[in-house]
Structure formats: structure tokens, C-alpha cells
Amino acid sequence: MIQETDFEVIIVGGNYSGLSAAMSLGRSLRKVLVIDSGLPCNRQTPHSHNFITHDGEKPAVISAKAKTQVDFYNTVQFYNGLAISAMKTENGFEIKTESGKIFTSRKLLFATGVKDLLPEIPGFAECWGISILHCPYCHGYEVKKEKTAIIANGDIGFEFAKMILNWTKDLRLLTNGKSTLTLEQSQILRKHNVEIIEDEIKAVEHENGTIKNLVFTNESKISLKAIYFKAPFKQHCPLPEFLGCDLTEQGLLKVDAFQKTTIPGIFASGDCHIQARSVAMAVSSGSFAGAMMNKQLIDEEFKI
């Protein structure tokens, strides 16, 4: 049970990036509270890859190990719950949780990630992160040279197909409706034996998230090992925008080179501001944000 309510830093979001920032701040002897609702975006992904020392581990195992290590630093405390409101105060910030608990801090870090907006195709959400994938660097090796599809169109589909051809030549581009590729783009992809399919998608047949068949509205099917999809997204937590933090054109939190948002005293780390989403990137971002927050606190202590 947390007795204290006032901290130097509150971190909203307690997965890879938030925990990494908490370790950086804990080792800097800062009084830190991590608020986490326990719903990471990769919670149904079976294995994490492309992160040295943890390659192939379950995401939940990595998080649990990280939390145990951060918990070693007695200046860091954890609160399991959802942050539902935030406000600027004279000395910093105030965060209120769903249970009604109120905490204050001098600085605020959002490591809250983003929420993927998945198409309403039966079976799609169940396969997301398992056999429907967002990143070849995270998952491409495990489905290399396998029968693969990309759901995309236009310039995004063209560039994504070029990339995925590095992992498999058995590739088709599903535009899920009329193709918006240019004639030149279509010719280039066909030259590389990429099949372009314009049929609309009806459903994903799967077994426990593993794709068996993709079904089209004309009732035709193709069997696949993997599908890549760049999901649109929104900020997982509305509080940064409520506090006035600006977003980029892509919908990410806008930060400077020191991970400061456009609101003084508020920083961001992890997927909520990084376009390239991966565990390794999130950890790096969190560690750097923690160091930059500590630097700002130090500088403020030496102001005349």
C-alpha cells in the first residue's frame, strides 16, 4: 500500500519504456511513482525478438523481470491502476486514478504507448501480434521464406512490399478493394513476382491466432503463414493531449531532442512518440528520458 502521495516524477505507463525510465531515475536517487493499468499493446504476442539478451522471450516475462529489477531501488514505487485525469499545479502536476487516489509530482513522463485501430474483419484481432504482424524486424525472421501477404494499398503498399521481399519472395499484396498503385508501381511489383489481389477481405480463418486461410467476399480463399499490416493508431492515453501536449502529423506525441513535450515539465518515451515500435527502442527511449528528467531537476536545483 502506497502511503506517500507526492513525488519528484510520476511515470504513467509501466511497461518496457516506463520501467526503463524508472530504473534510470531510481539509480539517480529520485522519488518516483510508476502508475500502470497492466494492459500493454503486445499482451497477446507470444515472443519478443530483436532485443539482445531477451531474444525470443515472452513479453510478459521481460516485463516481470524488469519490474523486479526496478523494484530493487527503494525510491521507486508502483501503483496498479488507471490514471484518468491530470492537471497542472503551481508546483508541478496532479494525477487522479480511477480509484480516486490523487498523486502529485514535479515532473511527468508519459510512457503510455498507442492503441492500434484494427479493421472489423472477423478473426483479425485474434491474430494480431501472433500471425498478423506489424514489423518484420520484430517477427520477420520467424516467417522467412513462408507464404506471406501484406494488407495495404498505394504508396504504403508499394514500399511495404519492397521491404518484405527481403524476408520472403512468396508474397502477395492485398489492396482490399480497388488498387491505388500507380501503373509503374504495379509493373515493378509484378516484375518481382508479387501478386496483387484487389478482392475485398471477408474474414480470417485461424486457430488460436494462427492464420489458416484468408477469406474474400467472393468466397475464394488463400492459405497463408503470415500477414503484415500497418495499423492506424491513436494515443492510448488521452491525458497528454488534455494537458496541451502537441501531436505530430502522424498522431505521435511531439518531443524535442531531449524528449520534452511541448508542455514544460512533461516528457514522453516509448511508442507514444516513436514511429519505429519495438521493445529495444522503447527501452532505449525510456532510459534516455529518465536521464533527461534527472538533468532538468538538477538544473532547477541550481537556479539562482
Side-chain angles (χ1 to χ4, degrees):
M1 180 69 70
I2 296 176
Q3 301 297 328
E4 298 175 90
T5 60
D6 188 46
F7 296 84
E8 290 177 290
V9 176
I10 290 176
I11 299 172
V12 183
N15 207 25
Y16 311 112
S17 188
L19 290 170
S20 182
M23 176 172 281
S24 183
L25 287 159
R27 291 181 59 81
S28 300
L29 310 181
R30 293 298 176 184
K31 189 178 172 185
V32 179
L33 176 67
V34 180
I35 301 175
D36 184 51
S37 63
L39 293 172
C41 67
N42 65 350
R43 55 189 177 274
Q44 73 178 35
T45 302
H47 301 285
S48 177
H49 292 284
N50 206 26
F51 181 26
I52 57 172
T53 73
H54 294 286
D55 191 46
E57 275 195 303
K58 293 181 179 179
V61 170
I62 300 174
S63 294
K65 189 181 296 184
K67 186 172 181 179
T68 297
Q69 292 178 349
V70 173
D71 199 37
F72 171 81
Y73 300 96
N74 59 16
T75 57
V76 180
Q77 297 188 59
F78 294 90
Y79 182 84
N80 298 322
L82 180 67
I84 60 168
S85 68
M87 61 180 291
K88 186 79 176 70
T89 66
E90 184 178 348
N91 298 315
F93 302 92
E94 179 183 286
I95 296 288
K96 184 177 181 180
T97 68
E98 195 171 37
S99 66
K101 193 78 172 176
I102 294 175
F103 300 102
T104 58
S105 67
R106 290 169 60 188
K107 305 296 176 187
L108 194 55
L109 173 68
F110 285 104
T112 43
V114 293
K115 182 178 181 179
D116 294 312
L117 305 175
L118 303 179
E120 294 183 3
I121 297 171
F124 196 102
E126 291 84 350
C127 295
W128 184 239
I130 300 172
S131 57
I132 300 181
L133 313 169
H134 79 289
C135 174
Y137 293 101
C138 296
H139 306 290
Y141 185 86
E142 283 64 45
V143 291
K144 64 184 183 298
K145 301 180 181 179
E146 296 283 1
K147 190 172 184 178
T148 301
I150 297 167
I151 300 176
N153 209 344
D155 293 340
I156 293 174
F158 178 67
E159 293 299 328
F160 209 3
K162 285 166 53 181
M163 174 181 284
I164 301 304
L165 278 168
N166 182 73
W167 281 269
T168 181
K169 307 303 180 187
D170 193 352
L171 183 63
R172 61 251 348 113
L173 177 62
L174 313 179
T175 59
N176 196 24
K178 185 174 175 57
S179 170
T180 57
L181 295 162
T182 66
L183 178 61
E184 182 183 13
Q185 288 171 338
S186 298
Q187 289 173 339
I188 291 171
L189 292 181
R190 290 190 175 108
K191 181 180 177 181
H192 287 271
N193 298 313
V194 176
E195 183 182 4
I196 300 169
I197 300 174
E198 298 182 83
D199 298 331
E200 292 186 8
I201 299 166
K202 179 181 179 180
V204 181
E205 294 180 346
H206 67 96
E207 185 176 332
N208 297 321
T210 299
I211 297 170
K212 297 302 179 184
N213 297 293
L214 197 65
V215 185
F216 297 98
T217 54
N218 61 11
E219 300 303 331
S220 64
K221 296 182 179 183
I222 54 172
S223 62
L224 294 165
K225 184 70 174 181
I227 295 174
Y228 287 95
F229 178 71
K230 286 185 179 292
F233 60 84
K234 66 178 182 179
Q235 287 291 318
H236 190 266
C237 176
L239 299 185
E241 291 175 83
F242 177 80
L243 288 166
C245 298
D246 289 345
L247 300 182
T248 67
E249 290 182 3
Q250 294 78 28
L252 298 166
L253 285 176
K254 189 174 184 178
V255 299
D256 66 9
F258 304 101
Q259 289 180 223
K260 301 174 188 175
T261 69
T262 53
I263 299 299
I266 302 179
F267 291 68
S269 68
D271 291 354
C272 64
H273 86 93
I274 297 175
Q275 190 138 14
R277 294 165 59 185
S278 74
V279 174
M281 294 284 192
V283 169
S284 173
S285 171
S287 182
F288 185 68
M292 293 302 97
M293 296 181 86
N294 183 56
K295 174 68 163 57
Q296 189 173 90
L297 287 164
I298 289 170
D299 287 344
E300 288 175 359
E301 289 163 7
F302 280 84
K303 277 185 178 179
I304 296 174

